[in-house]
Each structure stands twice: as structure tokens, then as C-alpha cells.
Amino acid sequence: MTATAAPISELERSTMRRVAWRILPFLIVCYLIAIIDRGNIGMASLQMNEDLGLTAKVFGFASSLFFFAYFLVEVPSNLAMQRYGARIWIARIMVTWGLISAGTAFVTGANSLYVMRFLLGAAEAGFFPGVLLYLTYWLPAAYRARMVAIFMVAIPAANFIGSPLSGLLLSLDGWMGMRGWHWLFIIEGIPAVLLGIACLFVLTDRPEQAKWLSDEQRGWLIQRLASESAKKTAIGHMSLWKLLRHKDIWILALIYSGASAAGSTMSVWAPQLLKTFGLTSMEIGLVNAIPYGIASVLMIVWGRSSDRTGERRWHTAMTMLLIAAGLLMTLFTSSLPATIVMLTMVLVGAYSMKGPFWALVSGWLSSSTAAAGLAAVGALANLIGGGIMVNAYGAIHDATGSYAIALMPLATLCTIAGIMVLVIGRKRQREQAQMAETATVK
């Protein structure tokens, strides 16, 4: 179902331009650092696994603990942000995860790595859903897919930048008596602490407090957001535990888990996969950056397309089916060029899906449910996608020795997710049409 865009006034254009330039660049940099700190374990594993004697199964379990902790803490963290405000809470999140990420340099074996990955997941858990909630305070519905896509370009951009950077840091091996992977964790953890402190000075909690907007701009934005909030009817206010029992929350989480699993699995395991072609650490970092660079561009294009047409369902479903197609390619070819194509298809699908999907979700949730609802969908998806699939890949690879077979559960999940978003989206369209018809009769 598409929507025709209404003419945009100069006041709206100037307000949204001001809002976008004020909050998005800073949040993008913060999220870029978050993704680097979350995924740098993949590049670190090129040295760390041998040093600590980690098998693929053990490494997969350690990596997955991040997502289990994320699941446990994500919803409470978002509720805490509503209470304390984005400025203070996002600062707390970033300082905490930066210290823990840097501390991972001092693990001595599997058990200490388990502890640090779990703590990192708990520390970072509220950042992404917190920012999504924060953006709903500032962005009218017509801007959300493109703005979320621009914000989330930090994910592939982080890997585009982080892979070569991590490869370079691994080359510091032996400096001051420390291994390269030690320096990788320490140096890449420091920026999060500094940016966390900067949050206290850069972020503004709500439009009502935005002194950097004119009175006219502030009044327009407050009125527009209030008007949209009053019109929402789907999945209304309910308690947290009732929300977690709502079938639509689980359906949305299952849909998103495909993209979450694809991004997380590639972040953790792609360096190991590329290592099988005999590449050096620096070469792995450079080759691994190629798919992320392409995904960085295409996810913005796809988000703009979704906003321009007002279409969310097919824009979400097609990306999931692209992931599945890329993963199925691994059954038929194993050359380096084909592997790069496969990684590109998977990552373009995983990241292009995010803008349209989160715009779809935020449109279904009422304002009173948004904080817990956005976090619940993200938390459940991370548990299914990151926690289970990243772990499953390591276990299946250890048992079979085949990365292609290890990727098949993920291909199945993405296929199911693509079909589900088409089905539930069509159902929503029918419900909305019936509601509109009933309102017209009245």
C-alpha cells in the first residue's frame, strides 16, 4: 500500500533539515563505534583463537553470549532511558561498553572471554533501541525509513572502516610486549568512552527543550508529532510482560531476526571464512570491507525508495529473500570472487532491510508502547538471530567442516522471514482498509 506525499512547506523543510544535521551525524559516529566494538572479535580471532586455544564451537559460543546479554538487558534499558532521558542514559551506555571492550584485551582463556562478551552485550544493549526510540521523539513518520537507514549506515560503514583498521592494528603484534589483538581491543574501545562523555553536551532529550530550533520550528515539530501520535491505534498500551506475550511482537522479532542473524554471523565469521583462501590479516581486512562499502550506499537508496513510495512490506521482504539467495550460492561455488559476491548479497539485504522494517514497526506501535515494543522486537531478534545463529554456525562448522552447510539454517530463517512479512503486511493492509471504511460510514 503506497501513499502520495503531500507538498512540503518551507517551515517543515527547514525544521527537518535542522533536526537531521543536529542529531544524525553524532549518532551515526556513536553507532559506528558500537558496531566496531561489537564485531572486532571477528578480526581479533585471527590471532586470539590460536593464542587462547579456542575451537570454532567455543568461539561461536563466546560470540553469541553478547546477544544473550543483549536480550536480557535491552528492554529494561529502554525503559530506563524513558525515565532518565536520552542524554544521560546513552552517555552511561557508551562509557560502560567502551571500558569493557578495552578490557577484553586482558582475557586469558575461554571462561574470561565468556564473561567479557556477556558484559559487553549487557552494557551495549540499550544503545540501538534507545536511539530508535529517541528518533521517534524527533522524526515524523514520513522521514523515519530514510533517517533510520542513514543512521544505520553506520553498521556497514563500521565494518568497511573497521576491517582494514583492525587488520592494521593486528600488525602491531609485539609492540610493548603485547599481541596485535590486545592493541585492537584497547585502541578501539577508547573512542566509546570519549563519545559517551560528549553525549552530555551534544544531545537534547525532547523537541520541547531544543533551544537550537526557532520557536516556529519547535512548535511545528511538537504539533506534527502529537498529531501523528493521536492517530495510532495498532498494538496499543499494555504492560511489558503482556507485550512480550503479544503474537505480533514475536512475528516482528522473527522477521527481523533473519537480518540480525545475517549481519551478526558475517561480522563474526566472515574473517575466518576469508582466511581459508590463504589471505593475510591485512588482506582479509581489505577484502572484507568491499561488501560493507556497497551495502553502505544501497541501504540509503533503498530507505529513500521506501519513504518516497510509502511502501514498507515489499521493501522489507525482498531484502530477506536476497539474503537467502546469497547464502544458497555457497552450496554451488567456493571461489574467492563468488564468496565476495555472496557476502555482498547477504550484507546488502541485511542492512537495506533495516530502514523500511523499523519504519513499519514504529508505525504499528502506539506512543505508549514504543519504548518497550521497539526494544522487545530488537531484543528477541538479537536472541534468535545473534545468540542462536552465531552459535549454531560454529557448532555446525565444527561438526561438518563446511561453512556452506553451516549457513543453511540462516538461509532457511531468512526465507521464512521474507514470506512472513508479506503475509502479515497484507493482513495489516486489510485491517486498515476495514477501519477506514468503518470510520467513513460513521
Side-chain angles (χ1 to χ4, degrees):
M1 184 178 184
T2 61
T4 302
I8 299 176
S9 68
E10 182 55 36
L11 174 60
E12 176 177 349
R13 184 177 288 108
S14 64
T15 302
M16 295 314 302
R17 185 186 303 117
R18 181 68 173 142
V19 168
W21 281 106
R22 172 72 185 198
I23 65 177
L24 275 179
F26 180 75
L27 290 175
I28 288 171
V29 172
C30 291
Y31 197 34
L32 185 146
I33 297 301
I35 299 303
I36 288 177
D37 287 346
R38 176 193 300 191
N40 58 12
I41 191 172
M43 288 297 294
S45 71
L46 299 176
Q47 291 180 356
M48 181 182 68
N49 286 10
E50 184 177 352
D51 287 357
L52 302 183
L54 306 178
T55 64
K57 183 177 181 179
V58 169
F59 175 68
F61 179 66
S63 300
S64 71
L65 286 174
F66 173 95
F67 300 100
F68 285 106
Y70 210 101
F71 168 74
L72 294 173
V73 180
E74 190 165 357
V75 174
S77 180
N78 238 30
L79 296 176
M81 194 184 95
Q82 272 199 316
R83 178 176 180 180
Y84 298 109
R87 187 176 64 91
I88 292 175
W89 196 248
I90 292 178
R92 194 283 307 162
I93 290 171
M94 296 195 68
V95 171
T96 306
W97 103 52
L99 293 173
I100 294 171
S101 182
T104 307
F106 304 102
V107 298
T108 57
N111 290 334
S112 54
L113 181 61
Y114 292 160
V115 171
M116 295 305 286
R117 288 300 292 182
F118 186 88
L119 291 177
L120 182 63
E124 196 203 305
F127 181 77
F128 174 67
V131 170
L132 282 182
L133 176 62
Y134 183 65
L135 291 177
T136 67
Y137 299 162
W138 292 92
L139 302 179
Y143 294 87
R144 286 179 190 161
R146 81 191 77 171
M147 294 298 186
V148 169
I150 291 171
F151 164 66
M152 296 184 75
V153 78
I155 305 176
N159 289 281
F160 179 70
I161 297 169
S163 290
L165 175 62
S166 295
L168 181 63
L169 292 175
L170 288 176
S171 70
L172 295 178
D173 195 35
W175 186 44
M176 296 180 63
M178 298 174 68
R179 293 280 277 153
W181 64 271
H182 295 147
W183 288 114
L184 185 156
F185 283 122
I186 292 170
I187 293 174
E188 292 183 350
I190 293 172
V193 177
L194 300 178
L195 286 168
I197 296 171
C199 284
L200 298 172
F201 304 95
V202 175
L203 297 182
T204 305
D205 285 336
R206 297 273 189 166
E208 292 84 349
Q209 303 162 350
K211 296 179 180 179
W212 41 269
L213 289 174
S214 70
D215 291 342
E216 190 180 17
Q217 289 173 330
R218 189 164 52 249
W220 175 86
L221 183 57
I222 293 170
Q223 190 279 328
R224 173 72 173 268
L225 292 169
S227 175
E228 291 186 355
S229 177
K231 294 177 182 178
K232 293 184 180 180
T233 56
I235 312 182
H237 177 69
M238 59 183 70
S239 70
L240 173 59
W241 293 113
K242 187 176 181 181
L243 183 72
L244 290 174
R245 294 197 300 271
H246 197 289
K247 65 180 178 62
D248 282 356
I249 294 295
W250 281 91
I251 290 172
L252 290 170
L254 183 60
I255 291 168
Y256 188 58
S257 68
S260 175
S264 300
T265 301
M266 293 302 106
S267 176
V268 171
W269 289 108
Q272 292 286 333
L273 172 58
L274 293 173
K275 188 178 181 180
T276 63
F277 294 100
L279 304 178
T280 66
S281 294
M282 192 63 208
E283 289 171 340
I284 290 171
L286 292 171
V287 171
N288 195 43
I290 295 172
Y292 289 103
I294 297 172
S296 299
V297 175
L298 292 184
M299 71 181 296
I300 296 177
V301 174
W302 200 244
R304 290 178 64 88
S305 172
S306 180
D307 271 348
R308 186 177 63 253
T309 61
E311 203 288 319
R312 311 301 189 191
R313 185 167 67 109
W314 279 100
H315 276 78
T316 302
M318 289 173 66
T319 59
M320 301 307 301
L321 298 177
L322 178 64
I323 297 171
L327 294 171
L328 289 171
M329 277 184 57
T330 61
L331 293 173
F332 307 105
T333 182
S334 59
S335 68
L336 179 58
T339 299
I340 295 173
V341 171
M342 178 273 290
L343 290 172
T344 301
M345 291 174 66
V346 170
L347 293 170
V348 167
Y351 297 127
S352 296
M353 178 262 200
K354 295 177 184 292
F357 174 78
W358 286 114
L360 185 76
V361 175
S362 61
W364 287 356
L365 299 174
S366 68
S367 297
S368 58
T369 305
L374 290 171
V377 171
L380 292 169
N382 273 305
L383 178 64
I384 299 169
I388 296 176
M389 285 297 168
V390 170
N391 201 16
Y393 179 99
I396 296 172
H397 186 274
D398 253 6
T400 65
S402 169
Y403 71 82
I405 295 175
L407 289 170
M408 287 308 100
L410 179 54
T412 303
L413 175 62
C414 290
T415 302
I416 293 172
I419 294 171
M420 286 182 69
V421 76
L422 291 175
V423 172
I424 191 173
R426 185 175 179 82
K427 179 182 175 184
R428 285 285 176 188
Q429 286 181 356
R430 287 199 301 264
E431 291 174 351
Q432 290 171 356
Q434 289 171 357
M435 289 172 62
E437 185 178 340
T438 301
T440 301
V441 171
K442 290 182 178 180

